Amino acid sequence: MKAIAIKEYGDIDNLQEIELKIPEIAEDEVLVENYATSINPIDWKARLGYLKGMYPWKFPVVLGWDTAGIITQVGAKVANFKIGDKVFARPDIYNDGKKGTYAQYVAVKEDKLALKPDEITFEEAAAVPLAGLTALQVIVDRLKVKKGDKVLIQGGAGGVGLFAIQIAKHLGAYVATTASKKNHEFLKSLGADEVIDYHETKIDTVLNNYDAVFDTVNAIDDGLAILKENGRLVTIAGNPSEEQKASSKEVSSWWLQPNGKQLGELGNLIVAGEVKVIIDSVYSLTAEGVRVAHKKSQEGHARGKIVIKVK
């Protein structure tokens, strides 16, 4: 099968097309013919070597952690999915480094899978898993947002931020977010009640007494400054210092936990019109396509998800 891989850590030129064997699946896995994947900041961070202390990968390494496609093979212990099912998932990160989603076929454990709603395309489905699950788990499980809460989402125009705004609004929260001026009306159309231009305004001059802060940009001190006593802050972009964690406000970091059941819940929200999938751009599964996609993600100018069309 065709895959896009890196043979060493470094810049986008290290992304190259290679041929790999189709993955062999375990008893609790399915094989998905991949129709689409998407780009997340973790992809180019991994390419640059930022994750090498976490995963003992051996080159070549296939990156990518979103998939949407059709099941072509099921393991002996798979009970709830069958060949021909249209699915989407955020697969596990495997230590061999060969099972990323920049490839024509992907092995996925059953508990990470959700059925793809017929109402959305494969490209839209591929834009959801990593970013959408991260937003859902932080907003619902970690920040415990409820109706009437005041929530700040730092970095609202990114892939995770867009989902977080909509999920928090669905729960009945008052939602503030930060973004450059060009994105203000767009974010308000998705449910943001207040959008602050971080280039021109310090958030603690306009916000105060917030129940929750979701930090996607590594601006922990800024978020703490507007939290009420005993408020909660969760970051996916930084590492809270001991001083920050010692404050009277609850501060923690979060790393996504792949979860097929929650992904199915997200699919239901999308079908119900509570959450929209925002796609910035679509590229092909070629070395050049993935390089351009990585460059766009790394520069931070995308509004919504960057998708790679595989089939």
PDB file of all heavy atoms in Angstrom, residues 13-28:
ATOM      1  N   ASP A  13      10.428  18.389   3.973  1.00  0.00           N
ATOM      2  CA  ASP A  13      11.014  17.611   2.886  1.00  0.00           C
ATOM      3  C   ASP A  13      11.248  16.160   3.277  1.00  0.00           C
ATOM      4  O   ASP A  13      11.457  15.298   2.414  1.00  0.00           O
ATOM      5  CB  ASP A  13      12.334  18.240   2.425  1.00  0.00           C
ATOM      6  CG  ASP A  13      12.119  19.583   1.740  1.00  0.00           C
ATOM      7  OD1 ASP A  13      11.028  19.774   1.158  1.00  0.00           O
ATOM      8  OD2 ASP A  13      13.014  20.437   1.790  1.00  0.00           O
ATOM      9  N   ASN A  14      11.212  15.861   4.578  1.00  0.00           N
ATOM     10  CA  ASN A  14      11.368  14.485   5.028  1.00  0.00           C
ATOM     11  C   ASN A  14      10.120  13.642   4.809  1.00  0.00           C
ATOM     12  O   ASN A  14      10.166  12.421   4.962  1.00  0.00           O
ATOM     13  CB  ASN A  14      11.749  14.461   6.511  1.00  0.00           C
ATOM     14  CG  ASN A  14      13.186  14.895   6.745  1.00  0.00           C
ATOM     15  OD1 ASN A  14      14.093  14.348   6.155  1.00  0.00           O
ATOM     16  ND2 ASN A  14      13.376  15.893   7.586  1.00  0.00           N
ATOM     17  N   LEU A  15       8.993  14.270   4.481  1.00  0.00           N
ATOM     18  CA  LEU A  15       7.771  13.525   4.169  1.00  0.00           C
ATOM     19  C   LEU A  15       7.898  12.955   2.762  1.00  0.00           C
ATOM     20  O   LEU A  15       8.001  13.697   1.780  1.00  0.00           O
ATOM     21  CB  LEU A  15       6.559  14.446   4.270  1.00  0.00           C
ATOM     22  CG  LEU A  15       6.198  14.912   5.682  1.00  0.00           C
ATOM     23  CD1 LEU A  15       5.351  16.176   5.642  1.00  0.00           C
ATOM     24  CD2 LEU A  15       5.464  13.800   6.447  1.00  0.00           C
ATOM     25  N   GLN A  16       7.896  11.621   2.668  1.00  0.00           N
ATOM     26  CA  GLN A  16       8.125  10.954   1.392  1.00  0.00           C
ATOM     27  C   GLN A  16       7.137   9.810   1.200  1.00  0.00           C
ATOM     28  O   GLN A  16       6.693   9.194   2.167  1.00  0.00           O
ATOM     29  CB  GLN A  16       9.557  10.405   1.336  1.00  0.00           C
ATOM     30  CG  GLN A  16      10.631  11.468   1.457  1.00  0.00           C
ATOM     31  CD  GLN A  16      12.023  10.862   1.536  1.00  0.00           C
ATOM     32  OE1 GLN A  16      12.220   9.705   1.167  1.00  0.00           O
ATOM     33  NE2 GLN A  16      12.985  11.628   2.010  1.00  0.00           N
ATOM     34  N   GLU A  17       6.839   9.519  -0.065  1.00  0.00           N
ATOM     35  CA  GLU A  17       5.968   8.384  -0.367  1.00  0.00           C
ATOM     36  C   GLU A  17       6.765   7.087  -0.303  1.00  0.00           C
ATOM     37  O   GLU A  17       7.871   6.997  -0.850  1.00  0.00           O
ATOM     38  CB  GLU A  17       5.350   8.547  -1.751  1.00  0.00           C
ATOM     39  CG  GLU A  17       4.367   7.449  -2.101  1.00  0.00           C
ATOM     40  CD  GLU A  17       3.673   7.682  -3.438  1.00  0.00           C
ATOM     41  OE1 GLU A  17       3.378   8.843  -3.785  1.00  0.00           O
ATOM     42  OE2 GLU A  17       3.422   6.668  -4.126  1.00  0.00           O
ATOM     43  N   ILE A  18       6.191   6.079   0.388  1.00  0.00           N
ATOM     44  CA  ILE A  18       6.831   4.776   0.466  1.00  0.00           C
ATOM     45  C   ILE A  18       5.786   3.694   0.224  1.00  0.00           C
ATOM     46  O   ILE A  18       4.584   3.951   0.229  1.00  0.00           O
ATOM     47  CB  ILE A  18       7.510   4.539   1.839  1.00  0.00           C
ATOM     48  CG1 ILE A  18       6.466   4.480   2.969  1.00  0.00           C
ATOM     49  CG2 ILE A  18       8.560   5.604   2.123  1.00  0.00           C
ATOM     50  CD1 ILE A  18       7.024   3.992   4.290  1.00  0.00           C
ATOM     51  N   GLU A  19       6.244   2.475   0.024  1.00  0.00           N
ATOM     52  CA  GLU A  19       5.367   1.312  -0.069  1.00  0.00           C
ATOM     53  C   GLU A  19       5.519   0.492   1.199  1.00  0.00           C
ATOM     54  O   GLU A  19       6.638   0.199   1.630  1.00  0.00           O
ATOM     55  CB  GLU A  19       5.721   0.465  -1.294  1.00  0.00           C
ATOM     56  CG  GLU A  19       5.217   1.039  -2.605  1.00  0.00           C
ATOM     57  CD  GLU A  19       3.695   1.003  -2.724  1.00  0.00           C
ATOM     58  OE1 GLU A  19       3.077   0.007  -2.279  1.00  0.00           O
ATOM     59  OE2 GLU A  19       3.121   1.981  -3.240  1.00  0.00           O
ATOM     60  N   LEU A  20       4.399   0.119   1.804  1.00  0.00           N
ATOM     61  CA  LEU A  20       4.389  -0.724   2.993  1.00  0.00           C
ATOM     62  C   LEU A  20       3.425  -1.879   2.781  1.00  0.00           C
ATOM     63  O   LEU A  20       2.501  -1.783   1.970  1.00  0.00           O
ATOM     64  CB  LEU A  20       3.924   0.074   4.214  1.00  0.00           C
ATOM     65  CG  LEU A  20       4.883   1.045   4.892  1.00  0.00           C
ATOM     66  CD1 LEU A  20       4.168   1.732   6.048  1.00  0.00           C
ATOM     67  CD2 LEU A  20       6.129   0.338   5.396  1.00  0.00           C
ATOM     68  N   LYS A  21       3.618  -2.946   3.548  1.00  0.00           N
ATOM     69  CA  LYS A  21       2.639  -4.021   3.554  1.00  0.00           C
ATOM     70  C   LYS A  21       1.357  -3.537   4.233  1.00  0.00           C
ATOM     71  O   LYS A  21       1.407  -2.736   5.166  1.00  0.00           O
ATOM     72  CB  LYS A  21       3.191  -5.230   4.307  1.00  0.00           C
ATOM     73  CG  LYS A  21       4.323  -5.949   3.588  1.00  0.00           C
ATOM     74  CD  LYS A  21       4.772  -7.161   4.390  1.00  0.00           C
ATOM     75  CE  LYS A  21       5.890  -7.906   3.669  1.00  0.00           C
ATOM     76  NZ  LYS A  21       6.365  -9.084   4.453  1.00  0.00           N
ATOM     77  N   ILE A  22       0.227  -4.039   3.764  1.00  0.00           N
ATOM     78  CA  ILE A  22      -1.039  -3.748   4.443  1.00  0.00           C
ATOM     79  C   ILE A  22      -0.956  -4.300   5.865  1.00  0.00           C
ATOM     80  O   ILE A  22      -0.480  -5.415   6.078  1.00  0.00           O
ATOM     81  CB  ILE A  22      -2.214  -4.372   3.672  1.00  0.00           C
ATOM     82  CG1 ILE A  22      -2.387  -3.657   2.320  1.00  0.00           C
ATOM     83  CG2 ILE A  22      -3.509  -4.279   4.478  1.00  0.00           C
ATOM     84  CD1 ILE A  22      -3.427  -4.291   1.421  1.00  0.00           C
ATOM     85  N   PRO A  23      -1.375  -3.527   6.878  1.00  0.00           N
ATOM     86  CA  PRO A  23      -1.231  -3.991   8.264  1.00  0.00           C
ATOM     87  C   PRO A  23      -1.951  -5.309   8.520  1.00  0.00           C
ATOM     88  O   PRO A  23      -3.050  -5.542   8.008  1.00  0.00           O
ATOM     89  CB  PRO A  23      -1.868  -2.856   9.085  1.00  0.00           C
ATOM     90  CG  PRO A  23      -1.838  -1.666   8.202  1.00  0.00           C
ATOM     91  CD  PRO A  23      -1.965  -2.180   6.809  1.00  0.00           C
ATOM     92  N   GLU A  24      -1.329  -6.168   9.308  1.00  0.00           N
ATOM     93  CA  GLU A  24      -2.001  -7.364   9.808  1.00  0.00           C
ATOM     94  C   GLU A  24      -2.749  -6.973  11.077  1.00  0.00           C
ATOM     95  O   GLU A  24      -2.212  -6.272  11.932  1.00  0.00           O
ATOM     96  CB  GLU A  24      -0.986  -8.469  10.109  1.00  0.00           C
ATOM     97  CG  GLU A  24      -0.294  -9.000   8.865  1.00  0.00           C
ATOM     98  CD  GLU A  24       0.647 -10.140   9.190  1.00  0.00           C
ATOM     99  OE1 GLU A  24       0.641 -10.600  10.356  1.00  0.00           O
ATOM    100  OE2 GLU A  24       1.388 -10.579   8.273  1.00  0.00           O
ATOM    101  N   ILE A  25      -3.993  -7.426  11.198  1.00  0.00           N
ATOM    102  CA  ILE A  25      -4.807  -6.994  12.333  1.00  0.00           C
ATOM    103  C   ILE A  25      -4.811  -8.044  13.446  1.00  0.00           C
ATOM    104  O   ILE A  25      -4.688  -9.236  13.194  1.00  0.00           O
ATOM    105  CB  ILE A  25      -6.257  -6.671  11.905  1.00  0.00           C
ATOM    106  CG1 ILE A  25      -6.939  -7.895  11.278  1.00  0.00           C
ATOM    107  CG2 ILE A  25      -6.277  -5.475  10.961  1.00  0.00           C
ATOM    108  CD1 ILE A  25      -8.432  -7.726  11.068  1.00  0.00           C
ATOM    109  N   ALA A  26      -4.959  -7.554  14.666  1.00  0.00           N
ATOM    110  CA  ALA A  26      -5.109  -8.420  15.831  1.00  0.00           C
ATOM    111  C   ALA A  26      -6.570  -8.845  15.961  1.00  0.00           C
ATOM    112  O   ALA A  26      -7.447  -8.363  15.235  1.00  0.00           O
ATOM    113  CB  ALA A  26      -4.653  -7.680  17.085  1.00  0.00           C
ATOM    114  N   GLU A  27      -6.853  -9.730  16.924  1.00  0.00           N
ATOM    115  CA  GLU A  27      -8.214 -10.249  17.086  1.00  0.00           C
ATOM    116  C   GLU A  27      -9.225  -9.171  17.432  1.00  0.00           C
ATOM    117  O   GLU A  27     -10.414  -9.314  17.139  1.00  0.00           O
ATOM    118  CB  GLU A  27      -8.228 -11.330  18.176  1.00  0.00           C
ATOM    119  CG  GLU A  27      -7.510 -12.611  17.797  1.00  0.00           C
ATOM    120  CD  GLU A  27      -7.611 -13.661  18.888  1.00  0.00           C
ATOM    121  OE1 GLU A  27      -7.540 -13.275  20.083  1.00  0.00           O
ATOM    122  OE2 GLU A  27      -7.786 -14.845  18.567  1.00  0.00           O
ATOM    123  N   ASP A  28      -8.764  -8.092  18.087  1.00  0.00           N
ATOM    124  CA  ASP A  28      -9.684  -7.032  18.508  1.00  0.00           C
ATOM    125  C   ASP A  28      -9.623  -5.821  17.583  1.00  0.00           C
ATOM    126  O   ASP A  28     -10.097  -4.743  17.940  1.00  0.00           O
ATOM    127  CB  ASP A  28      -9.383  -6.590  19.945  1.00  0.00           C
ATOM    128  CG  ASP A  28      -7.975  -6.040  20.113  1.00  0.00           C
ATOM    129  OD1 ASP A  28      -7.129  -6.241  19.203  1.00  0.00           O
ATOM    130  OD2 ASP A  28      -7.710  -5.404  21.149  1.00  0.00           O
TER     131      ASP A  28
END
